């Protein structure tokens, strides 16, 4: 196979700094060497490639935007986005792992934790010694997390937690869960450690999507949590949503990686697949598909670059993230499906990455705020009417 | 222990090379340049040596401004500082070795690592020439390396096998694939590389000892031949492999 060199029709590389490009290229090489050769097997067998954790930690992929003293690399958000993009060229499940560890576990501890919590957890999460997960969604509360029924009660020496979470990436393999529960009616964050009595995290089986990623339930049956494990700076749903905003930002970038590999595969295939005496790339209908894909990739790249620059200069609104997450996931899924059409029957084989990405993107379009919810979030922002209430 | 590693900035091996109109140089348009792959083994070994014995690793490259990309790659992998000996014109191996030897002498490096060859001109000689100019020992095409005090024990690849040789410091080592597994530049390493110094100085002029008269591409590959589809063609296949292709 040819070496993957990215998709850059508009010289978008010229918008990135030397470090940003170097970081991207390093992760690109890592994905080509370490992820792509093994990922189909893991997707087929529905296993997460656990051996990658230490390699990804060594590369510095966890919490890379955080300060060095907590194990981060103090990278900017554009570089972080490019890392997500490259990882998702490998697989959405691997990108999800890094997203959860960085944006949904390390970020809330960094932003809402005590100094002791930060010093204890962040370096261990950065070097991969500890794995984290994030429990917000419940079986009956997805788009409406504010309705959650998981609750915490103040008891002597700590809190008593009861309830259940669902669709939790990394749940079964996590050493610590950031769990959101209502304490006196106010949603707060707690660190629940693996092995705590009454806490279990069974894996959810039977997924046709994100098969190389662990998805779990979290069950809390009278779980006693020490006083020190509450995230002290959480004071309502908005803190959980701030975490989601970080993760959605990574998804907006990540799916462009999936788009790129689907396009690249379809382009190469169309040039070598001969029908009626000429490559299918020579037919107008194939060209229209390829041009549509490339145009949507280019638009998503420009959307992301500006999104990242706004995040770095502090002018980013959560509705901006919604627009990029909404658009890019929809277009990525569409591109994966068009790529499958170009590959014809070959597109369904796992000799090509298309079907795996296509199936993954069904989840990615739905999680971290469905397409519909992001529509309503932007809708409210521009009209003033919250249509989801 | 002061260690030098010399790196070359070469066209990516995946790039399709075009020869320029003058027939003496390659057309740089559309060519991606990378650190010479064999030099990555050299950088890794330099870093491992430093990790074992302490000291400093300095990366040196001869060439134009764009060579800084390869210097930065080495810095991101963990090398302490860089030196660019600037010369915008291509020079022959002797011209490169001469300025490298002078700089290594100034820096007083006791161990010097090179890749066994650079994948652009493939002369496989710069390391050896530099050693000669410095009066250092030289062990080339090394696949395993140990330092014991002043003693250097290296395993090197030779035709059809390997040999173990012993030498002493100061020494020039040229690295072969298999010597180690080069590390990725970590994200932390890339961020830290920003703050590392790349000293830039003009490379002293050098009279070319070799002149390139003409470059041309190898002849296009001949299409394959199908002798038949059953076992009856095996004797003919063997004969052709022996007499025509001369591979068995």
């Amino acid at each position: 196979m040819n070496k993957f060199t990215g998709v850059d029709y508009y010289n978008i590389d010229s918008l990135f700094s030397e470090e940003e490009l170097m970081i991207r290229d390093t992760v690109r090489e890592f994905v080509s060497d370490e992820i792509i050769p093994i990922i189909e097997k893991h997707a087929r067998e529905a296993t997460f490639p656990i051996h990658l954790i230490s390699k990804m930690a060594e590369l510095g992929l966890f919490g890379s935007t955080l300060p060095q003293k907590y194990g981060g690399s103090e990278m900017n958000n554009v570089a972080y986005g490019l890392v997500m993009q490259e990882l998702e060229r490998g697989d959405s499940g691997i990108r999800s792992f890094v997203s959860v560890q960085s944006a949904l576990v390390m970020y809330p501890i960094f932003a809402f934790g005590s100094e002791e919590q930060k010093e204890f957890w962040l370096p261990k999460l950065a070097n991969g010694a500890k794995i984290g997960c994030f429990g917000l969604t419940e079986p009956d509360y997805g788009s409406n997390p504010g309705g959650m029924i998981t609750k915490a009660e103040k008891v002597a020496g700590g809190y008593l937690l009861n309830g259940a979470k669902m669709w939790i990436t990394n749940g079964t393999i996590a050493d610590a869960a950031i769990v959101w529960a209502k304490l006196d009616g106010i949603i707060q964050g707690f660190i629940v450690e693996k092995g705590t009595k009454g806490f279990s995290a069974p894996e959810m089986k039977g997924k046709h999507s994100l098969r190389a990623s662990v998805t779990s339930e979290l069950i809390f049956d009278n779980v006693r949590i020490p006083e020190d494990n509450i995230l002290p700076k959480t004071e309502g749903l908005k803190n959980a949503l701030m975490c989601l905003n970080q993760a959605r930002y990574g998804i907006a970038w990540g799916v462009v990686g999936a788009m790129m590999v689907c396009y690249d595969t379809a382009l190469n295939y169309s040039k070598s697949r001969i029908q009626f005496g000429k490559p299918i790339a020579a037919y107008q209908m194939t060209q229209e598909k390829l041009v549509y894909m490339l145009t949507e990739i280019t638009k998503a790249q420009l959307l992301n670059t500006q999104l990242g620059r706004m995040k770095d200069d502090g002018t980013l609104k959560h509705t901006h993230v919604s627009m990029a997450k909404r658009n890019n996931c929809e277009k990525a899924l569409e591109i994966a499906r068009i790529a499958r059409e170009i590959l014809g029957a070959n597109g369904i084989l796992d000799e090509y990455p298309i079907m795996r990405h296509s199936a993954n993107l069904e989840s990615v379009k739905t999680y971290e705020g469905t397409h519909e919810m992001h529509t309503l979030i932007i809708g409210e922002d521009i009209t003033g009417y919250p249509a989801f209430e | 222990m002061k260690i030098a590693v010399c790196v070359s900035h070469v066209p990516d091996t995946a790039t399709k090379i075009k020869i320029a109109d003058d027939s003496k140089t390659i057309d740089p348009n559309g060519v991606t340049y990378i650190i010479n792959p064999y030099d990555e083994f050299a950088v890794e070994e330099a870093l491992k040596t430093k990790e074992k014995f302490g000291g400093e690793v300095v990366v040196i490259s001869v060439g134009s401004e764009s060579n800084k990309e390869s210097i930065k790659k080495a810095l991101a992998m963990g090398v302490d500082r860089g030196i660019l000996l600037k010369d915008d014109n291509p020079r022959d191996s002797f011209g490169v070795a001469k300025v490298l030897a002078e700089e290594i002498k100034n820096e007083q490096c006791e161990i010097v690592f090179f890749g066994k060859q650079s994948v652009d001109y493939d002369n496989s000689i710069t390391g050896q020439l530099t050693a000669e100019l410095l009066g250092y020992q030289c062990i080339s095409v090394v696949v395993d390396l140990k330092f014991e005090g002043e003693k250097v024990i290296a395993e090197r690849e030779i035709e059809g096998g390997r040999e173990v040789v012993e030498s002493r410091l100061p020494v020039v080592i040229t690295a072969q694939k298999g010597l180690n597994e080069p590390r990725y530049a970590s994200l932390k390493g890339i961020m830290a590389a920003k703050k590392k110094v790349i000293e830039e100085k003009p490379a002293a002029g050098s009279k070319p000892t070799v002149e390139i008269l003409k470059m041309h591409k190898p002849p296009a590959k001949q299409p394959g031949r199908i002798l038949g589809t059953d076992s009856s063609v095996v004797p003919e296949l063997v004969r052709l492999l022996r007499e025509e292709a001369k591979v068995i």
Side-chain angles (χ1 to χ4, degrees), chain A residues 60-334:
Chain A
L61 296 184
F62 305 144
S64 47
T65 57
L66 298 184
Q68 290 217 8
K69 72 167 186 166
Y70 298 124
S73 303
E74 301 180 15
M75 245 165 56
N76 70 12
N77 286 289
V78 169
Y80 174 76
L82 288 166
V83 169
M84 294 291 120
Q85 171 190 297
E86 293 309 314
L87 288 172
E88 196 145 356
R89 175 176 72 91
D91 189 78
S92 303
I94 308 299
R95 199 270 306 138
S96 296
F97 181 92
V98 178
S99 276
V100 168
Q101 184 86 347
S102 302
L104 296 181
V105 179
M106 295 179 75
Y107 168 77
I109 293 174
F110 174 70
F112 315 127
S114 65
E115 192 52 42
E116 292 74 32
Q117 287 169 338
K118 288 191 226 184
E119 280 170 17
F120 179 80
W121 286 104
L122 293 177
K124 295 182 184 71
L125 290 159
N127 72 18
K130 298 279 185 193
I131 308 303
C133 70
F134 179 88
L136 175 68
T137 298
E138 298 187 355
D140 295 323
Y141 294 91
S143 293
N144 175 24
M148 70 170 64
I149 51 178
T150 298
K151 65 171 192 187
E153 268 174 84
K154 186 79 192 80
V155 292
Y159 303 92
L160 195 66
L161 200 61
N162 275 292
K165 301 289 178 180
M166 205 174 183
W167 307 113
I168 310 305
T169 300
N170 298 353
T172 311
I173 56 171
D175 300 291
I178 303 297
V179 177
W180 300 86
K182 279 181 182 162
L183 178 67
D184 300 323
I186 293 167
I187 295 173
Q188 290 207 267
F190 300 87
I191 304 173
V192 182
E193 293 177 50
K194 188 180 199 160
T196 310
K197 199 168 165 244
F199 171 42
S200 59
E203 188 171 355
M204 295 171 67
K205 299 284 188 183
K207 286 178 296 168
H208 281 297
S209 175
L210 296 179
R211 288 178 57 80
S213 166
V214 174
T215 310
S216 316
E217 292 176 64
L218 306 180
I219 298 163
F220 309 99
D221 180 13
N222 284 319
V223 179
R224 287 188 79 93
I225 307 168
E227 189 105 51
D228 293 342
N229 281 22
I230 191 168
L231 291 174
K233 287 178 227 158
T234 53
E235 48 196 17
L237 182 61
K238 69 165 193 218
N239 299 109
L241 296 180
M242 283 167 74
C243 301
L244 294 187
N245 215 37
Q246 302 291 322
R248 289 165 180 173
Y249 171 83
I251 292 169
W253 280 88
V255 292
V256 172
M259 293 187 202
M260 284 180 178
V261 66
C262 289
Y263 166 77
D264 190 58
T265 306
L267 177 65
N268 288 327
Y269 182 88
S270 70
K271 288 195 219 168
S272 64
R273 172 76 175 172
I274 313 283
Q275 287 296 290
F276 304 105
K278 59 179 180 182
I280 60 169
Y283 291 96
Q284 290 180 357
M285 288 170 87
T286 309
Q287 291 188 0
E288 195 277 334
K289 288 185 173 83
L290 292 168
V291 170
Y292 177 78
M293 293 160 99
L294 180 58
T295 308
E296 288 306 330
I297 291 170
T298 305
K299 283 151 78 173
Q301 287 172 318
L302 291 168
L303 206 57
N304 281 346
T305 308
Q306 173 65 359
L307 187 77
R309 296 290 174 225
M310 288 196 291
K311 193 164 178 8
D312 280 329
D313 68 24
T315 56
L316 184 81
K317 294 198 300 180
H318 70 281
T319 54
H320 294 141
V321 181
S322 286
M323 182 177 279
K325 196 274 178 187
R326 178 184 179 277
N327 175 76
N328 296 0
C329 290
E330 180 178 50
K331 294 304 172 189
L333 182 56
E334 211 182 320

Side-chain angles (χ1 to χ4, degrees), chain A residues 3 18-19 22-23 26-27 29-30 33-34 58-61 64 68 71-76 83, chain B residues 12-14 34 40 68-69 72-74 76 183-195:
Chain A
K3 185 172 161 184
E18 202 178 359
E19 283 83 34
M22 216 166 157
I23 286 165
T26 298
V27 180
E29 196 183 329
F30 176 81
D33 295 349
E34 306 284 345
E58 208 175 307
L59 201 56
L61 296 184
S64 47
Q68 290 217 8
S73 303
E74 301 180 15
M75 245 165 56
N76 70 12
V83 169
Chain B
D12 190 338
T13 44
I34 57 167
E40 287 194 61
K68 280 187 181 168
E69 288 168 32
K72 280 180 189 162
K73 172 92 192 258
R183 67 195 67 187
Y184 292 100
S186 71
L187 305 194
K188 226 173 259 154
I190 295 170
M191 298 305 288
K194 266 205 296 199
K195 294 175 199 128

Side-chain angles (χ1 to χ4, degrees), chain B residues 25-111:
Chain B
T25 52
I26 64 161
D27 180 358
N29 286 320
V31 177
T32 323
Y33 284 82
I34 57 167
I35 186 168
N36 175 40
Y38 291 108
D39 297 347
E40 287 194 61
F41 301 114
V43 172
E44 176 64 33
E45 204 60 23
L47 293 171
K48 278 169 79 173
T49 307
K50 178 195 154 178
E51 281 156 11
K52 223 168 190 172
F53 302 106
E56 189 195 25
V57 182
V58 52
V59 54
I60 312 173
S61 190
V62 183
S64 62
E65 183 72 22
S66 68
N67 284 42
K68 280 187 181 168
E69 288 168 32
S70 284
I71 293 177
K72 280 180 189 162
K73 172 92 192 258
L75 295 177
M77 285 171 77
V79 168
D80 299 296
R81 62 192 171 87
I83 299 171
L84 172 66
L85 301 173
K86 203 163 175 215
D87 185 0
D88 289 329
N89 302 309
R91 43 171 74 206
D92 63 9
S93 301
F94 185 76
V96 172
K98 214 168 160 218
V99 286
L100 281 177
E102 276 161 28
E103 193 57 34
I104 291 162
K105 204 166 152 195
N106 283 341
E107 290 282 337
Q108 297 176 312
C109 299
E110 280 182 281
I111 305 175

